């Protein structure tokens, strides 16, 4: 268990638990909701394999493709104003995230990893951590590798990482938040809750991680007024525990015991 992950988790508890009580989208949902402790394990222990995977991906990319990028490009990029670098990182990273995320929905083998995240039946800030390490490494790699290759400064990347993490928790949180017309520009909890909806009209929609206008550009946005989904989850027979979920994508379909599916709850 990474002690930094534990500190970040405690800070998130202090911020998001009161917010979810004060501005609850579903007031009847308990803090210790279904699969709470399973998702807590993800929050505590998933950081190490994901960090190692991302370090390997960035190291491999910079040692190969990175050698082909002229030095003057990274010098020009890193010399830009700090605020401009952060904005550019958000745009570049979210385009990469959108493409990778959409691929995880389109390719059956990749979907088996991503289905773990979509097996969530009750959304809150903690549920954001339920992501298979392979899914997270490949998706975040698609976001961050271009950023590192282009030579953005470390402080700008660090601030982006902090913003991305906090925004990701908010998107999954059990909160009712109206951001008005900004919802067509910035991803909101309503936007991402529809991505998790177990409703036919919302399937394969709202892929962006931070910038909802990317989905608008590609025709994959789904925001029906002020409505929110009635239920979340998938029909895949996802097992209930952390270890089983890590193994799930690698087990042939015929060998998975048919249990009540997450979408039947």
């Amino acid at each position: 268990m990474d002690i930094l992950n534990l500190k970040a988790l405690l800070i998130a508890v202090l911020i998001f638990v009161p917010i979810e009580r004060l501005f609850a989208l579903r007031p009847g949902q308990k803090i210790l909701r279904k699969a709470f402790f399973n998702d807590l394990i993800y929050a505590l222990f998933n950081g190490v394999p994901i960090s190692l995977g991302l370090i390997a991906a960035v190291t491999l990319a910079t040692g190969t493709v990175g050698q082909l990028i002229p030095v003057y490009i990274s010098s020009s990029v890193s010399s830009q104003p700090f605020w401009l670098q952060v904005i550019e990182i958000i745009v570049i990273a979210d385009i990469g995230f959108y493409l990778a995320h959409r691929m995880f929905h389109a390719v059956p083998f990749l979907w088996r990893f991503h289905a773990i995240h979509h097996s969530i039946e009750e959304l809150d800030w903690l549920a954001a951590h339920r992501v298979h390490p392979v899914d997270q490494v490949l998706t975040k790699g698609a976001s961050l590798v271009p950023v590192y290759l282009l030579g953005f400064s470390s402080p700008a990347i660090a601030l982006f990482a902090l913003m991305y993490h906090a925004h990701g928790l908010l998107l999954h949180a059990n909160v009712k938040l109206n951001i008005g017309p900004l919802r067509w520009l910035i991803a909101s909890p309503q936007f991402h809750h529809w991505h998790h909806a177990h409703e036919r009209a919302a399937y394969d929609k709202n892929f962006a991680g931070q910038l909802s206008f990317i989905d608008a550009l590609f025709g994959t946005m789904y925001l029906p007024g002020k409505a929110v989904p009635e239920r979340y989850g998938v029909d895949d027979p996802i097992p209930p525990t952390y270890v089983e979920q890590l193994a799930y994508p690698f087990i042939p379909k015929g060998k998975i015991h048919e249990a009540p599916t997450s979408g039947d709850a």
Side-chain angles (χ1 to χ4, degrees):
M1 181 173 62
D2 188 341
I3 191 65
L4 293 178
N5 274 356
L6 181 58
K7 289 182 178 179
L9 183 63
L10 292 175
I11 293 172
V13 168
L14 295 175
I15 294 173
F16 283 97
V17 170
I19 289 176
E20 289 190 336
R21 294 302 95 192
L22 292 172
F23 307 102
L25 175 65
R26 305 178 191 281
Q29 182 171 301
K30 300 177 181 179
I31 295 177
L32 300 180
R33 43 81 180 165
K34 182 178 181 181
F36 175 90
F37 291 103
N38 180 63
D39 295 346
L40 182 60
I41 294 174
Y42 274 96
L44 292 173
F45 295 101
N46 238 20
V48 172
I50 291 171
S51 296
L52 292 175
L54 285 174
I55 291 172
V58 171
T59 301
L60 178 62
T62 53
T64 54
V65 180
Q67 301 301 312
L68 305 177
I69 299 177
V71 175
Y72 71 84
I73 292 181
S74 59
S75 298
S76 299
V77 169
S78 61
S79 64
Q80 295 179 109
F82 179 78
W83 63 268
L84 182 57
Q85 288 189 60
V86 174
I87 293 174
E88 290 173 347
I89 291 172
I90 291 172
V91 174
I92 293 170
D94 213 34
I95 291 173
F97 179 90
Y98 175 94
L99 295 174
H101 192 180
R102 192 164 181 177
M103 188 70 69
F104 268 90
H105 278 251
V107 178
F109 176 68
L110 294 179
W111 167 252
R112 289 176 64 78
F113 292 96
H114 194 54
I116 303 302
H117 185 59
H118 276 270
S119 67
I120 301 165
E121 296 176 9
E122 293 181 284
L123 282 172
D124 63 9
W125 67 274
L126 184 63
H129 297 87
R130 191 195 303 182
V131 186
H132 196 286
V134 172
D135 179 354
Q136 193 79 318
V137 168
L138 294 179
T139 303
K140 280 192 172 181
S143 298
L144 292 175
V145 165
V147 169
Y148 278 99
L149 292 180
L150 289 171
F152 287 95
S153 67
S154 296
I157 295 175
L159 178 58
F160 161 75
L162 178 62
M163 294 169 59
Y164 176 88
H165 181 70
H167 194 188
L169 299 184
L170 177 63
L171 292 181
H172 293 83
N174 176 32
V175 295
K176 187 175 184 179
L177 178 63
N178 182 6
I179 62 173
L182 285 177
R183 68 191 187 125
W184 301 104
L185 176 66
I186 302 171
S188 65
Q190 182 203 22
F191 172 89
H192 196 69
H193 278 227
W194 276 112
H195 178 71
H196 280 269
H198 193 358
E199 299 183 24
R200 176 64 60 182
Y203 288 174
D204 298 330
K205 303 292 184 181
N206 300 359
F207 293 107
Q210 292 184 286
L211 303 173
S212 57
F213 75 82
I214 295 177
D215 278 278
L217 290 175
F218 285 98
T220 52
M221 179 179 278
Y222 185 76
L223 275 177
K226 296 182 179 180
V228 294
E230 292 186 7
R231 62 174 184 155
Y232 310 101
V234 293
D235 286 326
D236 304 58
I238 307 296
T241 66
Y242 176 71
V243 174
E244 291 176 313
Q245 288 174 359
L246 293 186
Y248 169 79
F250 305 101
I251 301 174
K253 283 188 176 182
K255 294 186 178 181
I256 298 175
H257 296 294
E258 292 294 332
T261 66
S262 58
D264 293 334

